[in-house]
């Protein structure tokens, strides 16, 4: 029953994240916002991660931990990509549309808060479940930061608040990736020991 409920929740958050990816990538490009574009790619990465979680649900710990490793690596790559975006916008002096950032950021916050509430019951599970929780938790923090960046752009008339928030999002992604990868490696090591353990006659 619990596994069936978790599967249903994963499908719901997958659809939410895939939809928000399309909304934010279009809005981010139109507004010239590094923070919105970074958040959009985060939605895409999360949707992919939820899909992987659905695929390995019910499999052995080794398979679930291996999936968590892939998700941790994707979180790390997302962080590195955002750092590249920050550098590009810094060099070009982009000033994003704070109005678009505010509206889309609020919609994204509501969507991620809903996902976080749905996943709350599985926040202390194995590395695979925990990686899903960490992604959603980081997303809520990132959405609040995007809204703060929009206010900062409005108040300063520069793109620096947007750039700073995108940088923070990159650090969050890298930190989350480190947490997930460490736990997944520990679980893989544990599963290997169990597999190699001699059976008593």
């Amino acid at each position: 029953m619990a596994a069936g409920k978790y599967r249903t929740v994963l499908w719901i958050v997958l659809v939410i994240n895939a939809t928000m990816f399309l909304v934010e990538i279009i809005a981010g490009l139109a507004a010239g916002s590094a923070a919105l574009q970074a958040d959009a790619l985060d939605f895409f990465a999360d949707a992919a991660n939820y899909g992987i979680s659905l695929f390995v649900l019910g499999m052995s710990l080794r398979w679930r931990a291996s999936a968590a490793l892939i998700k941790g690596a994707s979180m790390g790559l997302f962080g590195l990509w955002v750092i590249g975006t920050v550098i590009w916008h810094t060099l070009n002096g982009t000033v994003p549309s704070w109005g678009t950032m505010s509206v889309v950021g609020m919609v994204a916050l509501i969507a991620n808060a809903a996902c976080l509430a749905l996943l709350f019951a599985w926040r202390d599970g194995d590395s695979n479940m925990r990686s899903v929780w960490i992604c959603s938790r980081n997303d809520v923090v990132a959405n609040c930061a995007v809204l703060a960046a929009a206010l900062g752009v409005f108040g300063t008339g520069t793109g620096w608040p947007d750039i700073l928030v995108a940088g923070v999002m990159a650090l969050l992604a890298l930190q989350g990736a480190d947490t997930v990868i460490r736990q997944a490696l520990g679980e893989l090591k544990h599963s290997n020991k169990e597999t190699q353990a001699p059976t008593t006659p």
Side-chain angles (χ1 to χ4, degrees):
M1 179 66 72
K5 185 176 180 181
Y6 186 56
R7 185 183 298 275
T8 300
V9 167
L10 283 179
W11 273 112
I12 293 172
V13 296
L14 189 157
V15 171
I16 290 174
N17 277 264
T19 301
M20 285 307 304
F21 161 68
L22 295 175
V23 171
E24 275 205 317
I25 196 65
I26 294 172
L29 291 171
S33 169
L36 278 183
Q37 291 177 52
D39 204 34
L41 284 184
D42 193 26
F43 271 118
F44 177 79
D46 287 350
N49 287 341
Y50 298 142
I52 293 173
S53 295
L54 280 166
F55 178 73
V56 299
L57 192 61
M59 292 186 178
S60 67
L61 177 62
R62 180 177 179 81
W63 278 101
R64 298 197 310 272
S66 297
L69 268 181
I70 295 173
K71 290 191 285 185
S74 71
M75 290 170 69
L77 289 174
F78 160 73
L80 294 175
W81 183 90
V82 173
I83 289 173
T85 301
V86 166
I87 294 173
W88 188 90
H89 280 282
T90 300
L91 295 175
N92 286 273
T94 306
V95 180
S97 168
W98 67 270
T100 302
M101 289 176 66
S102 299
V103 174
V104 177
M106 182 58 70
V107 173
L109 176 60
I110 294 171
N112 275 320
C115 292
L116 194 66
L118 287 168
L119 294 165
F120 184 79
W122 294 277
R123 66 192 182 283
D124 295 321
D126 60 28
S127 61
N128 188 53
M129 288 182 174
R130 192 178 182 196
S131 67
V132 170
W133 164 257
I134 288 175
C135 284
S136 296
R137 182 201 63 189
N138 287 354
D139 291 345
V140 169
V141 176
N143 294 146
C144 292
V146 169
L147 291 174
L151 184 61
V153 171
F154 171 72
T156 65
T158 70
W160 282 109
D162 180 66
I163 290 171
L164 289 174
V165 165
V168 170
M169 292 170 69
L171 292 177
L172 277 174
L174 293 174
Q175 182 186 42
D178 179 68
T179 300
V180 172
I181 289 173
R182 284 177 182 273
Q183 184 174 350
L185 288 175
E187 290 175 356
L188 278 174
K189 185 177 180 180
H190 179 71
S191 67
N192 287 336
K193 285 183 178 179
E194 288 186 341
T195 302
Q196 296 170 3
T199 56
T200 55

